[in-house]
Amino acid sequence: MPDLFKVKKINSLCSETVRFYIIFIFCLLAFGITYVLIRTSTIIDPFLEFNALISSWALNLLGANTSIIGTDVLSSTFSFRVITECTSLLFTGIFASAVIAWPSTARQKMAGIGIAALGLFLFNLVRIVSLFYIGTYTPTTLDFSHFFVWPIIMILITIGLWLLWTEGITGISQIQKASHKEA
């Protein structure tokens, strides 16, 4: 005869998993629709210009002589335009969708999304800077790096940040539960 406690625990775990996937997919769809609607609209231009400005600043800090005009980062050796796909927005949206779906408090969700958004922005800045130098010194490898290597790296970083966040939440929750049981 099956242990009733184990059956209830398995049913609870399954319903939590199903809940996570339903919310995650709903959030991804909502984000995806929003992303498609704004990615070519002028509403995103200030964010793109900010990315171009920060990229140019970082490149100049490293000795590249760049300037910006709108979303174009210009130099005598290599120039590029920052478009929506060049930002961390897509990865942040995927991360936020997973965080929203995960069982945690609103405060934990906001902190996780805020910290990860900044982290993904900084990783993306490294991506843009590296692509500038790849375009300058090994232009034949630029497309491969731009369209294959860096997207995989950004996906892995996004997943890694989410796993770190969930582990932090799980660890905090377990410590809180243990302290309540002892009291």
Side-chain angles (χ1 to χ4, degrees):
M1 184 148 163
D3 185 0
L4 207 52
F5 179 72
K6 287 182 182 177
V7 171
K8 284 184 178 182
K9 190 173 183 177
I10 290 170
N11 285 341
S12 173
L13 182 61
C14 288
S15 65
E16 286 179 22
T17 303
V18 169
R19 177 193 166 280
F20 170 80
Y21 283 117
I22 289 170
I23 295 170
F24 180 60
I25 290 168
F26 175 78
C27 290
L28 278 178
L29 287 171
F31 172 75
I33 291 166
T34 305
Y35 182 82
V36 167
L37 292 174
I38 68 165
R39 74 182 185 89
T40 57
S41 87
T42 56
I43 197 167
I44 198 83
D45 286 351
F47 183 63
L48 299 177
E49 290 168 0
F50 177 72
N51 274 265
L53 176 71
I54 296 297
S55 298
S56 178
W57 173 81
L59 287 163
N60 288 337
L61 202 63
L62 294 171
N65 186 17
T66 66
S67 60
I68 59 166
I69 298 175
T71 61
D72 293 337
V73 179
L74 311 166
S75 86
S76 60
T77 57
F78 184 77
S79 298
F80 62 93
R81 174 172 290 146
V82 175
I83 61 172
T84 310
E85 289 80 2
C86 297
T87 69
S88 59
L89 188 60
L90 182 64
F91 302 104
T92 301
I94 294 167
F95 179 88
S97 296
V99 166
I100 291 167
W102 192 258
S104 57
T105 67
R107 183 178 176 164
Q108 291 167 327
K109 291 176 192 294
M110 290 187 315
I113 292 169
I115 292 168
L118 178 61
L120 289 166
F121 179 84
L122 294 173
F123 279 118
N124 192 64
L125 181 60
V126 170
R127 180 186 78 84
I128 290 172
V129 168
S130 75
L131 290 172
F132 173 85
Y133 284 110
I134 290 168
T136 299
Y137 295 109
T138 59
T140 58
T141 63
L142 178 63
D143 283 346
F144 181 75
S145 299
H146 185 228
F147 295 115
F148 296 103
V149 175
W150 268 110
I152 291 169
I153 292 171
M154 289 299 290
I155 289 167
L156 292 174
I157 288 168
T158 303
I159 293 168
L161 287 173
W162 183 73
L163 290 173
L164 283 172
W165 179 80
T166 59
E167 182 63 29
I169 295 304
T170 304
I172 290 169
S173 297
Q174 295 303 326
I175 291 168
Q176 289 171 345
K177 285 179 186 176
S179 68
H180 287 299
K181 285 181 181 178
E182 291 172 6

